[in-house]
Amino acid sequence: FSVLNNSRPKRRAAAKEVELTNGGGAAPRRLRRPSWTPPGIAFPFIWGTITVLRGVSSAVVFSSTQAFFTPAFAAMLLHLSIGDTWNTITNIEKRLGVSAVVAYLVAASVYATVYLYYSASSLAGYLLAPSAVWLTVATSLCTAIWRINSPLQPLYPVPSDKKASALRFEKYLPKSEEEEKKTN
């Protein structure tokens, strides 16, 4: 549902650019990672578990509130939107500095969401809490990856680096005069 390209890295297409590290996880050869990086195989299990816990905790919130339009659900939607944006910045645009900054926003949004879920139902808050724990680790990991890869990338998007991701519906937007001249 995102207007940004949030596709995950394709392992087969990138096979020529990667080497297997940390027990089977693919990592670009030129990207250094801290020694405490979890093995690549752990990520699908971590995110799969978090996805199930999000669903179950949301069902508990709904059961408790009998409403979809609640501060808890609004916080979850905001958290998911920030997470999708982080994914584009990290996996599509490959902006390590911006990724590190936005990871803190993802973590802050999950903390707020856990609080609001807990306010609606303590069980829902406890079910969602592992997400906050993992995103704290992930934020530290993003920051460490940015810091150990030199030269340090800027902490803000730089238009001149031409890494900006295209919108999914960009082909349907009106073209600028400059773009029209290029196509004619």
Side-chain angles (χ1 to χ4, degrees):
F1 64 87
S2 177
V3 297
L4 298 173
N5 178 357
N6 281 320
S7 58
R8 300 300 191 256
K10 294 183 177 28
R11 289 184 184 263
R12 286 190 186 181
K16 294 178 183 174
E17 296 180 35
V18 300
E19 64 185 8
L20 294 180
T21 60
N22 294 328
R29 288 186 182 132
R30 64 189 177 280
L31 186 64
R32 295 176 49 215
R33 297 178 185 271
S35 61
W36 52 271
T37 301
I41 193 69
F43 289 92
F45 293 107
I46 292 167
W47 284 109
T49 302
I50 286 173
T51 299
V52 169
L53 291 174
R54 284 175 177 166
V56 173
S57 63
S58 294
V60 171
V61 168
F62 179 76
S63 176
S64 176
T65 63
Q66 294 296 305
F68 286 116
F69 299 108
T70 66
F73 285 143
M76 178 61 86
L77 290 174
L78 179 62
H79 166 64
L80 294 174
S81 298
I82 294 169
D84 280 349
T85 303
W86 175 89
N87 184 60
T88 298
I89 291 165
T90 305
N91 294 316
I92 305 302
E93 297 178 354
K94 302 193 183 323
R95 297 177 191 255
L96 296 181
V98 180
S99 174
V101 170
V102 175
Y104 285 91
L105 298 176
V106 176
S109 69
V110 81
Y111 302 152
T113 305
V114 169
Y115 173 78
L116 290 169
Y117 269 49
Y118 183 86
S119 297
S121 162
S122 60
L123 176 60
Y126 288 128
L127 286 169
L128 196 57
S131 297
V133 172
W134 167 245
L135 287 170
T136 301
V137 172
T139 299
S140 298
L141 183 61
C142 287
T143 303
I145 289 171
W146 169 71
R147 290 185 68 191
I148 65 175
N149 284 280
S150 58
L152 289 179
Q153 292 186 17
L155 296 172
Y156 53 88
V158 179
S160 62
D161 68 7
K162 306 221 186 300
K163 290 183 177 183
S165 177
L167 297 175
R168 287 188 176 189
F169 59 85
E170 197 168 64
K171 62 184 173 185
Y172 302 110
L173 296 174
K175 293 181 181 176
S176 68
E177 289 181 27
E178 186 178 305
E179 290 172 324
E180 283 292 336
K181 289 178 186 176
K182 287 181 183 177
T183 57
N184 290 335

